[in-house]
Amino acid sequence: MNWITVKAKHFFEQLSAAMMTPLFYVGDAHLSIAAIIKLILLAIVSFFVARIISEGIKRSLLVRMGLDRGSQEAISTIIGYILTTFGCIIVLQGAGINLTSLTVIAGVVGIGFGFGLQNLATNFISGITLLFEHQIRVGDFIEIDNLLGTVENISIRSTIIKTIDGLFVIIPNIKFVETNIINWSYRDPRCRLHIPVGVAYGTDPVLVTEALLVAARKEPNVLSHPSPKVWFRGFGDNALNFDLLVWTDQPQESDAIKSAVNFLIDYEFRNRNIEIPFPQQDLWLRNPQELTKILENHKNDISNDKVFPHHVQNSAESNGHATSPKQSVPKSLNNWNLRDLLRRVTYFEQCTDLELRQLIEYGYRQLFPAEQVVCKENDPGDSFYIILSGSVEVLSQKTGKYIATLHEGEFFGEISLLLGTPRTATVKTSADSILFVVERHDLKKLLVEQPNLADQIALKLSERQQALRDLGLLDDDSLEQTPFLKVRKRIQVLFGI
């Protein structure tokens, strides 16, 4: 037993001596196996301490400062790198290693780092570049190599992307430097979506335009500014090809938005009997007479009044899908299309179909039942209204007075838009009415296309201003002399027309 104890003691003494034996010298300090293990452990501890401190700074300070997620991650990561570097320096200094003596070793290691670890070094530098440039940040929605996803983390070697399908993809940082990246969240998250639609030949393009714009404006995730647009792409083999262009500030939901708009398009097309065609092909026979004789010999029961055609066309009618005849315009104005309603307005009645199609892009129709308030006094003015059918009453809540009744073809809402003031009166419908609504950002385009309407607005504005002054509802005296000319000039300056 004593012999075993002596042997074990001797073994541990030899092991201790081996652990403490200097392997090499760095300046005046010698490094043994025990010293190296101690340095490694201290470096790991400093790394974790730096990480805890950086996370604490992010949660306690950066979040309270109101910084976005990308800035928080970038700042905390950089702080972590700096604290880790200082921790390693303190560990080396505590071990008695003079850092100036590491210059030669650092040069040698740098050469090896450059050749042997070139890929890692490239990704490290790329990661530092991403963190400092802020062109791609944590939380951004990006597209890289047909991969759509949100940036979850940027480290020294790679970046983690969470795809729209919930998958996490690890991408080397060098990819973000060498590859073209689409950053949907950079500066302005708004983006435009293209939704292609094909309709049957013979369909009225103006009716298609109205249906597509109505569908776009019904989707809550589609922005009203910039306004939706309809492009006529061209004449396809089986259809007239259109593109519906809509804007959204939620690019990560683009697929869901397209799906929702497509559902709405289908609904609007069904209500307007707009047909989406099937692919069609024509089959031409070179010898129809001979083929007719063969069929007559084998089918004697074919009646004489059925004549085999000279060509067979695979169409919707041959498959039992006959196109229903066009329905007459219903008596109810609610079922009229917007083009016909606009033609009822005096200054639009001479417009061509192409001009009316352009006009439809600037606004939309809205149905108001009787006794419904369209806009309230003192509310901000952001819309211009043209009465397509029905009538509205203009009232002053301030004085409790009736001001006027407006009928088909008249408009309202121009005073607050042009003067930049709140609504000067309350407007409510006196009967079921259809209004053509033009938002502030589209009014300029409308007035450029319709200069006669600009003259009408200037004339009406000067008359209504005087009426409001007489009622004590408007104190602005800037347009008392030659009001029409001054108002017309104001419109020209305000809208650049």
Side-chain angles (χ1 to χ4, degrees), residues 169-188:
V169 182
I170 301 174
I171 302 176
N173 288 331
I174 189 62
K175 276 280 189 179
F176 294 90
V177 178
E178 295 180 344
T179 310
N180 292 330
I181 309 297
I182 299 176
N183 189 345
W184 299 92
S185 305
Y186 186 69
R187 293 186 179 177
D188 188 355

Side-chain angles (χ1 to χ4, degrees), residues 31-295:
L31 293 179
S32 61
I33 296 178
I36 293 174
I37 293 175
K38 181 180 178 181
L39 288 175
I40 293 174
L41 292 175
L42 290 174
I44 294 174
V45 170
S46 65
F47 171 77
F48 281 106
V49 170
R51 185 171 182 179
I52 292 172
I53 294 174
S54 63
E55 286 293 325
I57 292 175
K58 182 179 73 173
R59 294 177 181 177
S60 62
L61 180 61
L62 300 180
V63 174
R64 294 181 180 179
M65 292 175 63
L67 299 176
D68 58 89
R69 182 185 174 191
S71 299
Q72 294 174 19
E73 292 290 339
I75 294 174
S76 64
T77 302
I78 293 172
I79 290 175
Y81 290 160
I82 294 174
L83 292 177
T84 301
T85 303
F86 277 114
C88 292
I89 293 174
I90 293 172
V91 169
L92 293 175
Q93 292 282 9
I97 300 175
N98 188 0
L99 296 181
T100 57
S101 62
L102 297 177
T103 306
V104 178
I105 297 177
V108 175
V109 172
I111 295 174
F113 189 79
F115 286 99
L117 303 175
Q118 184 176 2
N119 190 26
L120 181 61
T122 304
N123 286 318
F124 175 78
I125 296 173
S126 301
I128 296 297
T129 303
L130 293 177
L131 290 172
F132 276 98
E133 285 188 347
H134 276 198
Q135 293 179 350
I136 298 175
R137 300 184 296 180
V138 174
D140 285 356
F141 185 73
I142 67 171
E143 179 178 352
I144 175 173
D145 291 339
N146 297 323
L147 186 69
L148 286 167
T150 305
V151 179
E152 292 293 321
N153 183 47
I154 301 176
S155 62
I156 60 174
R157 190 195 71 83
S158 61
T159 297
I160 299 177
I161 305 296
K162 184 180 181 181
T163 67
I164 54 178
D165 295 322
L167 303 176
F168 289 90
V169 182
I170 301 174
I171 302 176
N173 288 331
I174 189 62
K175 276 280 189 179
F176 294 90
V177 178
E178 295 180 344
T179 310
N180 292 330
I181 309 297
I182 299 176
N183 189 345
W184 299 92
S185 305
Y186 186 69
R187 293 186 179 177
D188 188 355
R190 294 183 301 174
C191 62
R192 190 168 67 179
L193 306 179
H194 291 247
I195 303 175
V197 180
V199 299
Y201 273 91
T203 307
D204 189 348
V206 180
L207 196 61
V208 174
T209 300
E210 180 185 355
L212 293 177
L213 292 176
V214 169
R217 291 187 171 103
K218 283 185 177 180
E219 169 54 36
N221 290 320
V222 170
L223 300 178
S224 60
H225 179 59
S227 306
K229 297 293 180 185
V230 176
W231 287 357
F232 193 164
R233 280 296 186 185
F235 303 89
D237 294 335
N238 307 299
L240 302 175
N241 296 323
F242 292 84
D243 259 10
L244 173 61
L245 281 65
V246 299
W247 288 84
T248 180
D249 56 1
Q250 301 180 41
Q252 66 276 12
E253 300 294 334
S254 57
D255 288 342
I257 294 172
K258 288 181 180 179
S259 175
V261 173
N262 280 329
F263 277 115
L264 292 170
I265 290 173
D266 179 73
Y267 174 80
E268 295 296 331
F269 278 11
R270 289 177 185 273
N271 286 344
R272 292 170 170 78
N273 294 324
I274 298 175
E275 180 185 354
I276 299 177
F278 295 99
Q280 300 180 12
Q281 290 183 343
D282 290 341
L283 176 63
W284 293 87
L285 303 177
R286 295 180 180 274
N287 51 353
Q289 296 83 4
E290 296 180 6
L291 183 59
T292 303
K293 292 178 181 179
I294 295 174
L295 292 177

Side-chain angles (χ1 to χ4, degrees), residues 333-365:
L333 290 177
N334 293 350
N335 296 325
W336 283 31
N337 61 57
L338 185 54
R339 174 186 55 190
D340 294 335
L341 287 171
L342 287 171
R343 275 224 170 92
R344 294 163 57 89
V345 180
T346 303
Y347 28 84
F348 297 143
E349 60 185 0
Q350 300 300 325
C351 291
T352 64
D353 283 355
L354 292 178
E355 291 172 336
L356 288 174
R357 195 210 72 84
Q358 185 71 39
L359 181 62
I360 289 171
E361 287 194 342
Y362 299 148
Y364 56 93
R365 66 170 164 178

Side-chain angles (χ1 to χ4, degrees), residues 288-490:
Q289 296 83 4
E290 296 180 6
L291 183 59
T292 303
K293 292 178 181 179
I294 295 174
L295 292 177
E296 287 178 351
N297 292 334
H298 289 82
K299 297 182 179 180
N300 295 324
D301 57 341
I302 298 179
S303 59
N304 293 330
D305 60 341
K306 293 183 179 179
V307 181
F308 195 83
H310 284 227
H311 70 278
V312 179
Q313 181 175 5
N314 179 20
S315 64
E317 294 181 359
S318 64
N319 288 327
H321 300 288
T323 305
S324 60
K326 292 185 178 179
Q327 300 178 354
S328 59
V329 178
K331 293 182 180 180
S332 174
L333 290 177
N334 293 350
N335 296 325
W336 283 31
N337 61 57
L338 185 54
R339 174 186 55 190
D340 294 335
L341 287 171
L342 287 171
R343 275 224 170 92
R344 294 163 57 89
V345 180
T346 303
Y347 28 84
F348 297 143
E349 60 185 0
Q350 300 300 325
C351 291
T352 64
D353 283 355
L354 292 178
E355 291 172 336
L356 288 174
R357 195 210 72 84
Q358 185 71 39
L359 181 62
I360 289 171
E361 287 194 342
Y362 299 148
Y364 56 93
R365 66 170 164 178
Q366 190 169 354
L367 308 180
F368 290 89
E371 302 300 323
Q372 180 174 336
V373 175
V374 179
C375 56
K376 291 183 178 181
E377 187 175 334
N378 296 323
D379 283 353
D382 53 4
S383 299
F384 174 74
Y385 301 90
I386 300 175
I387 304 174
L388 300 180
S389 72
S391 60
V392 301
E393 291 182 349
V394 185
L395 308 169
S396 172
Q397 293 180 338
K398 180 179 179 181
T399 60
K401 294 181 180 179
Y402 162 84
I403 298 177
T405 298
L406 306 179
H407 301 279
E408 293 179 7
E410 296 188 272
F411 52 83
F412 59 93
E414 77 287 346
I415 293 180
S416 56
L417 275 178
L418 298 179
L419 300 182
T421 59
R423 300 286 188 191
T424 54
T426 296
V427 179
K428 72 174 183 178
T429 55
S430 54
D432 293 345
S433 304
I434 303 177
L435 305 182
F436 184 63
V437 186
V438 182
E439 304 292 344
R440 176 191 296 271
H441 49 268
D442 286 323
L443 184 58
K444 173 183 177 180
K445 302 174 185 176
L446 175 61
L447 296 183
V448 170
E449 294 289 335
Q450 302 292 330
N452 292 333
L453 178 59
D455 293 337
Q456 290 286 336
I457 290 176
L459 181 61
K460 286 291 183 182
L461 178 60
S462 59
E463 294 175 357
R464 291 173 181 174
Q465 277 189 310
Q466 186 59 47
L468 292 174
R469 287 194 193 95
D470 294 341
L471 293 173
L473 301 177
L474 190 66
D475 298 328
D476 181 18
D477 297 328
S478 60
L479 303 177
E480 284 185 350
Q481 298 178 352
T482 60
F484 171 76
L485 296 178
K486 285 199 172 186
V487 173
R488 189 65 177 90
K489 185 176 180 181
R490 186 183 184 93

